[in-house]
Amino acid sequence: MFVAFLLLMVAVPVDAFEDELLERLTGDWVMRGTIAGQEIVHDLQVEWILAHHYLQISEIARERDADGNPAYEALVLIGQDEATGSYACLWLDITGGEGLTNGVIGVAQRDGDAIPFVFDTGDATAIHNTFSYDRAVDRWRWRIDNVRDGEPRRFADVTLRRE
């Protein structure tokens, strides 16, 4: 029965995720700005994967730790709920291995050229990560606020540029 279900899933094509705003995020970027009070420079590669159903962001810091490894790495996947139009974001990084087990998925509704993801981390806390696109200069800005009891505290303010 399970095999028949899998074959049915393979046989039924699903439309690709088409999004003109996220399409503008594809390509290679250099991220510069401040994260946790530190100036950073990260390289990003952004591409559609899995038959254009998810946008994948691969982020790696140019900064190195004491062992010579990147100080930060992340793999970010963005998808969309076709019925509601809302975005979903899974953020996996080297700050801990709970990304697949803690159930925190960021959700957002597009607001013009901004995608304000909210990751509800429980206990009256959340992470707000807003991706904003500036069409005039082909740049993205990401602002991340840690929110506790409704009070935001800026964690990151970075700009993505093609270099």
Side-chain angles (χ1 to χ4, degrees):
M1 178 88 145
F2 182 68
V3 172
F5 175 74
L6 287 177
L7 290 175
L8 181 60
M9 291 297 292
V10 171
V12 179
V14 178
D15 291 337
F17 174 21
E18 300 291 338
D19 187 280
E20 64 86 19
L21 181 59
L22 287 181
E23 188 65 40
R24 295 174 184 278
L25 187 54
T26 61
D28 296 332
W29 299 87
V30 176
M31 173 191 286
R32 297 178 191 276
T34 305
I35 298 178
Q38 303 293 316
E39 291 295 319
I40 60 90
V41 179
H42 294 184
D43 294 303
L44 281 73
Q45 292 181 319
V46 184
E47 63 185 337
W48 292 103
I49 63 166
L50 299 175
H52 214 281
H53 290 284
Y54 299 93
L55 188 72
Q56 175 181 280
I57 302 169
S58 298
E59 178 181 349
I60 188 164
R62 291 185 183 175
E63 299 80 20
R64 301 293 171 183
D65 66 16
D67 296 325
N69 298 313
Y72 181 79
E73 287 184 80
L75 181 63
V76 180
L77 298 176
I78 299 173
Q80 186 178 48
D81 180 335
E82 193 174 323
T84 67
S86 65
Y87 297 90
C89 180
L90 173 63
W91 200 290
L92 305 172
D93 65 19
I94 66 167
T95 63
E98 309 85 35
L100 292 175
T101 60
N102 66 8
V104 177
I105 302 287
V107 294
Q109 287 288 339
R110 181 173 168 178
D111 182 11
D113 282 344
I115 305 171
F117 286 106
V118 176
F119 296 81
D120 183 352
T121 53
D123 295 331
T125 64
I127 299 168
H128 292 199
N129 188 345
T130 301
F131 293 20
S132 300
Y133 182 64
D134 185 339
R135 291 173 185 267
V137 291
D138 187 33
R139 261 187 224 140
W140 286 87
R141 182 177 186 189
W142 293 358
R143 296 177 73 177
I144 303 173
D145 293 315
N146 293 326
V147 180
R148 178 175 292 284
D149 297 321
E151 295 295 321
R153 174 175 236 158
R154 180 64 30 91
F155 176 73
D157 192 346
V158 297
T159 302
L160 282 62
R161 293 186 175 119
R162 299 182 195 275
E163 293 184 11

